[in-house]
Amino acid sequence: MITALRGMKDIFDSEAKIYKFIIDTCQQIAQNYGYELCETPKLEQTPLFRRSVGESSDIVGKEMYEFNDKGGNSVCLRPEGTAGVVRAFIEHKFDRTGGVKKFYYYGSMFRYERPQKGRLREFHQFGVECFGQPSVYEDATLIIMLSEILKALGIKAILKINSLGDKESMSEYRANLIKFVSSYENKLCDDCQRRLKTNPIRILDCKNDDCQKILQNAPTILESLNQICSNEFETLKNLLSKANIAYEVDCKLVRGLDYYTKTAFEFISDEIGAKSAVAGGGRYDSLVEMLGGKPTFGVGWAMGIERIMEIIKNKQILSPRNGIYMCVLDEKYLKNLYFLGLNLRKTHKVEISYEAKSPNKHLNIADKNGAKIFLCIGENEAKNNEIWYKNLENKEEKRIKIDHLKDEL
């Protein structure tokens, strides 16, 4: 038997309903904030991610699905969404028209890593990207929007924020960090010894316990912020406080991507076991220029849908029942029921049974399918131009004139 690849999963039945619920919720709130849909290909040129995500990141170094296509081109399945949206932004010359552009996207991402609960090799993200807006007010707005989405989904999470500063601040901090960490080089894990030579900031993201102990006394980026970056970070904190968004400042929060500048943030939840990020993002004012476009401000975030799905499944916050199940007790009534069902499908989700069965058998099928409304025609109903109605959620039961059925529903 051929099965799905390890770390890749089919989504259907109750999981599909949860997935749709998450996407619909995210889309509605993102649209309320002025964001429009952007769909980009799942397959991109490999250099797009090497230049944006960064050669020193684990994503590029260990996790990308990279191969040569039949034309000899180096291509890869997208490991994250931002770089593709930036590529599209530049390719369609939005960087030359000026103004502010706001996009949201959702779909599959791919990383070759060890599968675990809420983390797959093919996973799904919902994300937003805002271009051309330099104000830290937009950083706050994106965090507030994400907080609103998580609240609508019933997710409890802790917000962690940091500032990575601009080029000037980061240059000073990089020198300070290298000076501190170099004295412990032999005690670092192999990955961090490599990062020390390629991108020292990545060391802060290491999960190795020994490395984390070393970093407890390391200098922080906040100590190297220039006045502009420091003022913007204070403004961000004030805006979040006035919006009643609780937060923690985490000086070691750098995110797993190389393109972030200034604001960086994550929402952490412990509702799927160990504390892990369910969503995060930040500002990337240099990324558009880095990928060949005109200098353009940028800020965005992405949410891991599988992790949100795990939390919602555990909470069972979705109504388990929806839709209508329609059936007959005698086949001679099927044709009338069939066309009645087709008419109802214009406004409702309807499942029509083509077989005549006993009432109990029909009810068992409707219950198993998770239907909310049960509609059935038997001899008595047919004589009186009625239909038997039963609400399988609250157990309400009655006969309804077929002419009045739409109004009753």
Side-chain angles (χ1 to χ4, degrees), residues 172-191:
E172 178 183 326
Y173 177 61
R174 188 189 303 268
N176 293 338
L177 183 62
I178 291 173
K179 183 178 179 181
F180 173 84
V181 174
S182 293
S183 59
Y184 299 93
E185 184 172 357
N186 293 334
K187 297 181 180 180
L188 297 173
C189 69
D190 292 342
D191 281 340

Side-chain angles (χ1 to χ4, degrees), residues 237-288:
K237 291 190 288 184
N238 289 334
L239 290 171
L240 293 176
S241 295
K242 289 190 176 182
N244 295 317
I245 305 292
Y247 63 85
E248 297 177 4
V249 175
D250 183 351
C251 299
K252 292 187 175 66
L253 175 61
V254 294
R255 306 279 295 144
L257 309 167
D258 282 357
Y259 50 64
Y260 285 112
T261 57
K262 296 185 178 179
T263 302
F265 61 89
E266 286 184 348
F267 280 88
I268 308 294
S269 176
D270 60 3
E271 295 188 290
I272 51 173
K275 290 183 178 180
S276 57
V278 293
R283 182 163 283 278
Y284 47 87
D285 289 342
S286 303
L287 184 56
V288 175

Side-chain angles (χ1 to χ4, degrees), residues 23-84:
I23 296 298
D24 289 348
T25 301
C26 290
Q27 278 193 116
Q28 184 58 63
I29 294 175
Q31 288 170 358
N32 290 348
Y33 280 76
Y35 284 75
E36 299 177 348
L37 176 64
C38 171
E39 180 68 40
T40 63
K42 296 176 179 65
L43 193 67
E44 296 271 13
Q45 295 185 53
T46 303
L48 172 65
F49 300 103
R50 291 195 177 279
R51 288 166 58 186
S52 61
V53 176
E55 293 279 0
S56 64
S57 69
D58 286 346
I59 293 173
V60 170
K62 301 177 181 180
E63 299 170 358
M64 283 205 304
Y65 279 87
E66 177 187 351
F67 57 95
N68 290 331
D69 66 12
K70 292 183 178 180
N73 305 298
S74 179
V75 298
C76 68
L77 294 170
R78 62 186 184 188
E80 60 96 38
T82 299

Side-chain angles (χ1 to χ4, degrees), residues 397-409:
E397 191 174 348
K398 58 187 175 182
R399 261 71 180 179
I400 298 172
K401 291 291 184 183
I402 288 179
D403 292 342
H404 301 154
L405 179 59
K406 271 196 168 184
D407 291 336
E408 289 282 349
L409 292 175

Side-chain angles (χ1 to χ4, degrees), residues 315-355:
K315 291 187 172 186
Q316 297 181 330
I317 64 171
L318 292 181
S319 170
R321 299 195 170 278
N322 67 86
I324 300 169
Y325 178 89
M326 301 184 71
C327 60
V328 294
L329 304 182
D330 192 308
E331 284 189 7
K332 63 185 177 184
Y333 308 126
L334 179 58
K335 185 180 289 186
N336 288 342
L337 179 97
Y338 176 74
F339 286 101
L340 177 61
L342 290 182
N343 193 30
L344 290 179
R345 277 179 173 158
K346 295 175 182 177
T347 51
H348 298 81
K349 175 187 173 184
V350 177
E351 181 68 28
I352 302 172
S353 172
Y354 301 146
E355 295 183 69

